[in-house]
Amino acid sequence: MKEKTILVIEDNDLNMKLIRTLLKLKNYQTIEAVDAENGIQLARQYHPDLILMDIQLPGMDGLTATRLIKNDSMMKDIPVVAMTGYAMQGDDEQTGDAGFASYLTKPIDTRSFLENIDRVLG
């Protein structure tokens, strides 16, 4: 069975380290970007099985980046999971409208994180 590749777009070093560590527990390969622009380029280049997208990014935000990914015929089939530390009422609707497959809040719950990733990957 082919190892799954996950693109993580996250600008916080500690969050990136935690996510990378958790994903390696399940032998997921990771590709990493600290901003949306670089993340979109990596998504085009590697076509990962899943993208974990921080909503609050420097420059282009994660909502805009996901809309661009979902409107690109080469990438629209890649599931994107939103991650944010600023969970507010209406975020579920907003992330759904942008094309996210799921929504995770930060700080990351290490007990359920991998279950959520496995569910999105099917």
Side-chain angles (χ1 to χ4, degrees):
M1 183 163 84
K2 176 185 169 283
E3 287 184 343
K4 301 282 186 178
T5 301
I6 299 176
L7 170 60
V8 183
I9 306 173
E10 168 64 65
D11 65 328
N12 179 288
D13 288 338
L14 290 175
N15 287 337
M16 182 69 84
K17 184 177 181 180
L18 175 60
I19 293 165
R20 179 187 317 120
T21 300
L22 290 170
L23 292 174
K24 286 187 179 191
L25 290 174
K26 293 279 278 204
N27 294 319
Y28 290 126
Q29 296 293 322
T30 58
I31 304 167
E32 300 172 7
V34 296
D35 60 54
E37 292 85 353
N38 188 34
I40 291 169
Q41 290 175 352
L42 291 171
R44 279 193 189 111
Q45 182 178 355
Y46 293 100
H47 203 275
D49 297 291
L50 175 69
I51 299 171
L52 296 177
M53 177 79 72
D54 186 11
I55 299 295
Q56 301 290 324
L57 291 165
M60 182 188 309
D61 66 48
L63 292 170
T64 302
T66 299
R67 285 186 186 104
L68 291 173
I69 289 168
K70 291 302 178 181
N71 286 321
D72 185 310
S73 63
M74 298 291 290
M75 299 183 290
K76 67 182 180 183
D77 62 320
I78 304 170
V80 183
V81 173
M83 299 186 301
T84 185
Y86 302 102
M88 302 174 108
Q89 187 173 0
D91 279 352
D92 285 339
E93 184 177 318
Q94 193 174 14
T95 56
D97 290 346
F100 287 97
S102 184
Y103 179 91
L104 300 173
T105 58
K106 294 188 277 185
I108 293 167
D109 181 350
T110 57
R111 295 165 298 180
S112 62
F113 177 78
L114 290 173
E115 292 172 11
N116 289 323
I117 299 305
D118 291 343
R119 186 177 62 250
V120 173
L121 286 171

